[in-house]
Amino acid sequence: MKINKLLLILLFLSSTLFSKELEKVSLQLNWKYQFEFAGFITAYEKGYYKDIGLDVDIKEFTKNTNIIDDVTNKKADFGIFDLSLFEYYNDKKPLMLLANYMKKSALVFVSKQDIITPYDFKNKTIMASKNELEKSVLSELLKKFSIKKSDFKKIEPHIFSSEDFINGKADIITAYLSNELYEIKKSKIPYNIIDPSNYDLATFSLNLFALKSTVEKNPEKIRKFIDATNKGWKYAFAHKKEIVDIIYNKYSKLKSKDALLFEANEIEKLIMPDIYEIGSIRSEFIGSILKKLEDSNLSKKVTIKDIVFKKNYYKKNDILSTKNKEYLENKKKINVCIDPNWMPLEKIQNGRYIGISKEYMDYFQSILHVPITLVPTNSWSESLEKVKEKECDILSLAMDTKDREKYINFTKPYISSNFVIVTKNEELFIPDVKKIIGKRKLAVVKNYAITDILKEKYNYNNIVEVNSIKEGLEKVLSGEVFGYIDCLSVVGYKIQKDFTSELKIVGKFDEALNLSIGVRKDDLELLEIFNKSIENFPEDKKQEILNRWVNIKFDKGIDYSLLWKVTIGFLGVILLISYRQKELINKNKKIEEQRNKLKESNNQFKRIQKELEQTLKSFEMLLSSTMDSIFVIEKNICIDTNENAVSLLGYKEKKELIGKNILNFLESTSRREIIKNLYTKDEPFEINIKDKDNNIIPSLIKVKTTAFEGKTVYVISLIDLRDIKEKEMLFFKQSKMASMGEMIGNIAHQWRQPLSVISAVSTGLKLKLMVGKYDEENVISSLDSMNESAQYLSQTIDDFRNFYKSDKEKTRVTSNFIIDKNKNLIISTLKDNGITIFTNNKCENLEINTYLNELIQATVNIFNNAKDALNLNNVNENKFIFFDVFKEDKYLVLSIKDNAGGVPKDIIDKVFEPYFTTKHKSNGTGIGLYMTHQIIENHINGKIEVRNEEFEWENKKYKGANFLIYLPIL
């Protein structure tokens, strides 16, 4: 305890006595304190700015702040601005972009769910600031779609809150993905994001800038300021909760901690630190922007060199001769070829050049001021061929051999690593590798320098050439070769990454792999330039690169150099050394523990990886075996599918369908409503789709949202309904035929009485005429009676004929009319079967708009079903049917209730299924109630249900089935 206290006293004295006065500089933010500026806040709070001698005043944005003016008038040394920074370029006081942090702008439009593209903005209310609609990436998007301010219904000034959007006062708002979206997501209201980056507009933001004169005055200070800020961002992303606490407790409570943490995750997605170097500037974007502005706002042509700060551009470089510099000025680029699969030295990964040699090339590029451009190749042999053909100026890493000297000059070596042999884990260590040369089969990558060494020095030709290190190590693992030869750094990296518990290094050659830059034979000037660059390469930079790629980390701990300046005495030094030694011992133990844990984690990761691969295979098999057609959709584009989907749409192979816009397969009518349902409905719904030949396919569709590789995707499951629709039509026809039999019986009943009247009257008239006893009044009365009966027969024929018509259009009918229509059709049949019908209209002749004939067919089916139930259950007296009509909520309800005893409980849930019947097979088909259900629910968009009810009528208790039809009141 005493040692620790003394140590703290010594550190305090040293920092107090020898601290330098910090230079004050200021940074003007373009908004309030929040995680958007975490890199700057962290650099200040963690002392990174202090370490470079700067006291940085980070200024919050206010309504009176003009960032451009503050920087150009030197009220602030640095500023933060968005993409429109370049529009403020001024010849007299030129600005310079120092660093870009957000590789994708957070500024987007957020709209109601039915507003899908900028075309839908017209006649809508938008909330936006003036600058966003005039000078921003959003204004560029509006120009692209020819949307003018006058096209909006109303433009509300931005209140920098999502409240008005959530409450429905605004149809569209401008928003930051990291800010307003937090409250919108929290509110659970549906919304769309319209992002300019999805419409081929270059977007980036959070730009650090300063006056060009400030930069040229002290470029080294600018460089250090950028480095310290970048260091702040790295720490902020690694310790988000800690930085959120700092911002909330010391800077601003405007946003909650949860909102700040949400912002932290969104900002990291926009800065993309895993893809782009923090603070890096993409020159291709800058170039495209400057080109657009060249003939408009800028008074002269401005180049990237004029407006973009390159961290290494201002470094003095005296190592090159005048001739060297003239050569480089005329050299537009240096083409480099590499070994595309030789980690950690170098690799081409997803089209990007990575590895140790890439960091060397970046350094060389920074001091030579000439782009070093990768020429992609698929193998080392191909890279050698491209140098021979002069497509490449240099090879980044190459060993000097006699064969290569014919077409390549080699610089001094700048990376060295011994050759080693890798075998299976069970093999013993080989103290002298020369003893196995010629006796064991060894693998080497084709055209590697070690091949020449083996042939020339050891006279060994039994070499198995492979295309890559991975192939070589897998051959060792399978037993095809005894060992694989490569340099120590490469195989060490590969074994640790992929073969930890399976392979090991068992021997070392005396020969080392001394790697140089290989330069085309005809370019001696470039050879001289690279030799000078290698000679002057900083040793600390070499060590830094090596540490980064071989995972060697050194704890800096406390900087004890200041203690030598303290004159307190030798005792303090001894105490410090003792304390440091103890600390190092403890840290070494922890490092060893971490190393063991890492090894175990690697083994576990490999097991998990194999399990995931197996799971993926199982998933693909499951996807292919399902009867449904499956589509996996990202932003309306098909990214995966199964064979059923390929066949359904008329394609032969999956690759023909992948990449196509799924919306192109939707029937054009009502497409907007379909698109809305696709991504908002949880339940299955019917749509019509088109195959590649434009054939219409009725389908049942269900959509689920899920996450895949960090992205939101939609999984669409689709069932072809063509067979079902054909069967449904067959059911409908069968139902019509069954109903026709019922109706013919009804016609017979309806006609009996009027035919009897006609027959009796005509016979009476004939008799009177024959005997001559008649009078004119009596004859006229008899003829009127016959005419009334004939008119009744004619009306009956019209009623039944209309019953079988297919409705083309809806008609408006009253509740009374529905009751009368039903009674006219079924009253005679019910009377013949001794059934009394009671009607009760409780809704005062309410009107609805519906398909009348289909409705009447459905209700007649229920009346016939009630008649059959009353007869089947042997109800010999008091047979009743009650037909009630009433209003409930937004529905007109038709209630048809009998006293036949009800539907048995075990079958009541099945009565609407096709072909289900309780009648004898000679009396029933089971399609009447099924078609009634289809008509009501699918054609009329109503609802139907059945339930058993006990009721009292004229002081007697009865039980029966009650069919309830709910018809929407529109």
Side-chain angles (χ1 to χ4, degrees), residues 130-142:
K130 181 181 178 183
N131 185 66
E132 288 169 338
L133 295 181
E134 293 179 356
K135 285 188 176 183
S136 76
V137 69
L138 297 184
S139 65
E140 291 297 315
L141 181 60
L142 294 178

Side-chain angles (χ1 to χ4, degrees), residues 550-563:
V550 297
N551 294 322
I552 298 173
K553 295 182 180 178
F554 296 97
D555 289 326
K556 291 184 179 179
I558 303 162
D559 185 359
Y560 292 89
S561 61
L562 290 175
L563 294 178

Side-chain angles (χ1 to χ4, degrees), residues 930-948:
Y930 167 71
M931 283 311 304
T932 297
H933 181 273
Q934 294 296 100
I935 289 170
I936 298 299
E937 301 228 345
N938 294 339
H939 296 201
I940 301 179
N941 295 322
K943 297 186 295 183
I944 184 170
E945 62 181 48
V946 59
R947 58 189 179 218
N948 291 326

Side-chain angles (χ1 to χ4, degrees), residues 142-206:
L142 294 178
K143 288 177 187 175
K144 188 166 188 174
F145 282 82
S146 301
I147 304 294
K148 301 182 290 293
K149 286 185 180 181
S150 58
D151 290 330
F152 291 105
K153 180 181 179 182
K154 191 176 183 182
I155 300 176
E156 295 282 1
H158 215 307
I159 61 172
F160 302 104
S161 165
S162 55
E163 183 180 347
D164 281 1
F165 179 76
I166 293 170
N167 294 334
K169 293 180 181 178
D171 303 309
I172 311 156
I173 64 168
T174 58
Y176 273 80
L177 292 171
S178 54
N179 282 356
E180 289 85 357
L181 209 61
Y182 173 75
E183 293 298 333
I184 294 173
K185 283 187 175 181
K186 199 174 175 183
S187 72
K188 305 291 185 184
I189 68 165
Y191 64 91
N192 279 329
I193 293 176
I194 299 175
D195 190 338
S197 65
N198 293 334
Y199 295 90
D200 296 326
L201 289 175
T203 67
F204 55 91
S205 188
L206 199 63

Side-chain angles (χ1 to χ4, degrees), residues 557-601:
I558 303 162
D559 185 359
Y560 292 89
S561 61
L562 290 175
L563 294 178
W564 298 110
K565 301 175 184 178
V566 183
T567 57
I568 294 181
F570 183 70
L571 178 61
V573 177
I574 297 298
L575 290 173
L576 283 173
I577 293 172
S578 300
Y579 176 81
R580 181 61 174 161
Q581 186 64 26
K582 182 180 178 182
E583 190 181 54
L584 286 173
I585 291 170
N586 290 334
K587 286 190 175 180
N588 284 335
K589 287 181 180 178
K590 289 180 181 178
I591 290 170
E592 186 62 32
E593 290 173 3
Q594 291 298 323
R595 187 179 289 116
N596 292 333
K597 287 180 181 178
L598 180 61
K599 185 175 181 180
E600 178 58 32
S601 296

Side-chain angles (χ1 to χ4, degrees), residues 565-819:
K565 301 175 184 178
V566 183
T567 57
I568 294 181
F570 183 70
L571 178 61
V573 177
I574 297 298
L575 290 173
L576 283 173
I577 293 172
S578 300
Y579 176 81
R580 181 61 174 161
Q581 186 64 26
K582 182 180 178 182
E583 190 181 54
L584 286 173
I585 291 170
N586 290 334
K587 286 190 175 180
N588 284 335
K589 287 181 180 178
K590 289 180 181 178
I591 290 170
E592 186 62 32
E593 290 173 3
Q594 291 298 323
R595 187 179 289 116
N596 292 333
K597 287 180 181 178
L598 180 61
K599 185 175 181 180
E600 178 58 32
S601 296
N602 283 339
N603 292 335
Q604 186 176 359
F605 172 75
K606 293 183 78 173
R607 289 194 297 271
I608 293 171
Q609 188 179 26
K610 289 179 180 178
E611 290 173 5
L612 286 174
E613 288 174 356
Q614 187 60 42
T615 302
L616 184 60
K617 289 180 181 177
S618 300
F619 172 75
E620 289 176 349
M621 187 179 296
L622 181 65
L623 194 66
S624 299
S625 63
T626 181
M627 294 174 64
D628 296 0
S629 298
I630 305 295
F631 302 85
V632 183
I633 307 300
E634 181 191 352
K635 293 182 179 178
N636 297 333
I637 301 301
C638 180
I639 61 173
D640 200 3
T641 184
N642 66 354
E643 294 301 327
N644 286 352
V646 175
S647 175
L648 177 71
L649 296 180
Y651 292 97
K652 294 181 179 180
E653 296 181 295
K654 185 188 289 190
K655 65 183 181 181
E656 294 180 80
L657 189 52
I658 290 174
K660 293 189 181 295
N661 191 321
I662 198 70
L663 301 183
N664 293 335
F665 295 102
L666 298 180
E667 190 180 25
S668 57
T669 57
S670 304
R671 178 175 287 188
R672 182 182 294 276
E673 187 66 23
I674 291 171
I675 293 170
K676 183 179 177 182
N677 288 340
L678 268 177
Y679 302 128
T680 58
K681 272 201 173 185
D682 291 330
E683 298 301 319
F685 61 96
E686 289 189 28
I687 64 170
N688 286 338
I689 65 169
K690 303 182 297 182
D691 63 14
K692 73 171 187 176
D693 297 323
N694 287 324
N695 297 315
I696 301 298
I697 304 171
S699 306
L700 184 67
I701 191 169
K702 185 174 178 63
V703 183
K704 282 293 182 184
T705 307
T706 186
F708 177 71
E709 295 183 350
K711 302 174 183 176
T712 298
V713 299
Y714 297 95
V715 179
I716 295 178
S717 176
L718 188 143
I719 298 174
D720 184 354
L721 295 181
R722 283 177 291 190
D723 289 343
I724 295 173
K725 290 290 182 182
E726 288 176 7
K727 290 179 181 177
E728 185 178 302
M729 184 57 66
L730 179 61
F731 287 151
F732 191 81
K733 289 178 181 178
Q734 289 175 332
S735 176
K736 282 281 188 181
M737 295 299 293
S739 298
M740 189 177 289
E742 299 280 356
M743 290 300 102
I744 289 171
N746 286 341
I747 291 172
H749 287 299
Q750 297 281 62
W751 277 20
R752 279 175 188 167
Q753 185 179 354
L755 285 174
S756 296
V757 170
I758 291 170
S759 177
V761 171
S762 62
T763 303
L765 279 175
K766 182 179 179 181
L767 181 62
K768 288 179 181 180
L769 289 170
M770 289 175 65
V771 298
K773 294 182 178 182
Y774 63 90
D775 58 68
E776 185 177 345
E777 184 178 343
N778 184 263
V779 170
I780 291 172
S781 175
S782 297
L783 291 173
D784 286 342
S785 177
M786 289 177 65
N787 182 58
E788 286 177 6
S789 295
Q791 291 298 326
Y792 180 78
L793 290 175
S794 177
Q795 182 61 47
T796 304
I797 287 294
D798 287 341
D799 286 343
F800 287 108
R801 186 180 62 201
N802 289 334
F803 175 78
Y804 288 105
K805 282 184 179 178
S806 296
D807 287 330
K808 299 298 182 184
E809 295 182 357
K810 290 183 177 180
T811 56
R812 298 200 68 82
V813 293
T814 65
S815 53
N816 278 339
F817 187 79
I818 293 171
I819 292 172

Side-chain angles (χ1 to χ4, degrees), residues 97-100 103 277 279-284 286 308-309:
L97 176 63
L98 308 180
N100 162 244
K103 304 307 177 198
E277 183 181 352
S280 62
I281 299 170
R282 291 182 287 175
S283 57
E284 68 274 15
I286 307 297
V308 174
F309 174 77

